[in-house]
Amino acid sequence: MRSIWNGAISFGLVSIPIKLVNATESHSVSFRQIHTEDGGRIRYRKVCELEEREVPSAEIGKGYEDADGSIIPITDQDLATLPIPTAKTIEIVAFVPADRIDPLQMGAAYYLAASGTPAAKPYTLLREALKRSQKVAIAKFALRGRERLGMLRVVDDVIAMHGLLWPDEIRAPEGVAPDSEVTVRDAELDLADALMDTLGEVDINTLHDDYREAVEELVAAKVDGVTPAERAPAGDGGGKVIDLLAALENSVREARTARGEHADGADSDSDSGAGSVAEVTPLARKSSRATPKQVGGKKSTSTATSSAKKKASAKSTARKTTAKKTTTAKSTGTTGTTRTTGTKKTAAAKKSTAKKTTGAGRRKASA
């Protein structure tokens, strides 16, 4: 790998010659601006505003714009004379635990390679000291015209350096949190925990840029002169969550299904064999005859009519039965053989029998 900076690590009185190498690279697809009418390239030209002509790179320098808009020229010689002790040195100033570094500060990453054989011993010493202490080194260095902050740590058998933002370059998160007070219920937290457990961990090496692959396929199709394959449109991600609990429950269910588990968390392979696909059996609906449908809180007309007829028929049968029992009680004149379904009917039968007996006695007396 090509180095972008040569210097040394200052570790107390120990100096370690090193080379700075980019640890990352961008794989994003870049586009050129073109004229849509004829496909010609659109280029930016550096033009002097005073002379209104294009200026070559050799005639271009640096300048600082003052508050009143005036430009103050700054030459490379001016910058070279500045007393920057880190101009060619990565100066270690402290060793701290790794969790003391806020991830918001971390920027570009570099590998530090030992420059030459004499640098191998002190380089290895620093690497092993970082490993054993389980700490990271905080350092200052100068790159591309300004002094920067860095963090040194061990990656495999190499010392890596992450560029850090200065503390005053981190903005406070004022006005970012929700203004309104929100209460989160335990049930919602439980579902959120269940979703986190279901998603589990992932090997980050298996993740890839789907968008970049789609762009590459599109470009390849254009080159071959074929119609690009249509893809399902992605969601806008702006939908409003109406029911948070329902959204969490659906998320847990989908995550478990994606992992080959049932909705209750059981492994589908253990229930139905490896490689089987879970089937959803719809619940059978009850017949409308057994459970009448209600519209607006009222029963349907046909069901209500049928129910009314059944009630009327039951009342008619009860009346006929009562009438027959009452007639039998009157004709026999006895109460021992008369049975009725209610206390009031029995009392009425007894009163009728008593009246008949009294009438018969009076007729015998007059005779």
Side-chain angles (χ1 to χ4, degrees), residues 329 335 344-356:
T335 59
K344 293 182 179 179
K345 293 179 181 180
T346 304
K350 288 181 179 181
K351 288 181 180 180
S352 178
T353 304
K355 288 181 179 179
K356 290 182 179 181

Side-chain angles (χ1 to χ4, degrees), residues 26-201:
S26 175
H27 290 162
S28 61
V29 179
S30 60
F31 297 99
R32 303 292 187 185
Q33 290 186 330
I34 63 171
H35 186 200
T36 56
E37 296 294 331
D38 54 19
R41 281 281 304 276
I42 301 297
R43 298 179 182 273
Y44 292 100
R45 301 183 185 276
K46 298 178 180 180
V47 177
C48 175
E49 292 181 352
L50 298 179
E51 299 182 3
E52 295 185 352
R53 68 177 180 88
E54 186 176 356
V55 178
S57 299
E59 298 180 12
I60 298 176
K62 298 181 181 69
Y64 176 82
E65 185 175 1
D66 203 357
D68 58 359
S70 60
I71 303 297
I72 302 173
I74 302 295
T75 65
D76 292 337
Q77 289 76 14
D78 294 333
L79 297 175
T81 58
L82 293 179
I84 301 180
T86 59
K88 285 293 182 179
T89 304
I90 299 175
E91 181 183 356
I92 296 177
V93 295
F95 292 89
V96 299
D99 57 8
R100 291 269 300 275
I101 305 301
D102 190 339
L104 284 174
Q105 289 185 258
M106 299 181 68
Y110 309 94
Y111 288 136
L112 304 182
S115 180
T117 303
K121 181 64 180 274
Y123 182 95
T124 304
L125 173 64
L126 176 59
R127 183 191 66 195
E128 295 304 316
L130 288 172
K131 279 185 179 181
R132 189 167 70 173
S133 66
Q134 296 183 348
K135 293 183 178 181
V136 296
I138 303 301
K140 294 169 66 177
F141 67 102
L143 181 65
R144 298 187 178 97
R146 70 185 187 93
E147 191 171 52
R148 304 168 186 264
L149 195 62
M151 179 191 75
L152 276 64
R153 69 184 184 97
V154 178
V155 177
D156 295 335
D157 290 331
V158 176
I159 298 175
M161 182 174 68
H162 295 269
L164 299 179
L165 297 175
W166 296 98
D168 59 358
E169 293 179 319
I170 304 297
R171 301 173 63 183
E174 297 177 356
V176 179
D179 294 332
S180 58
E181 293 192 11
V182 179
T183 301
V184 179
R185 293 176 288 176
D186 289 340
E188 295 167 340
L189 282 174
D190 292 341
L191 283 172
D193 291 340
L195 179 57
M196 293 169 62
D197 293 339
T198 303
L199 292 177
E201 299 181 357

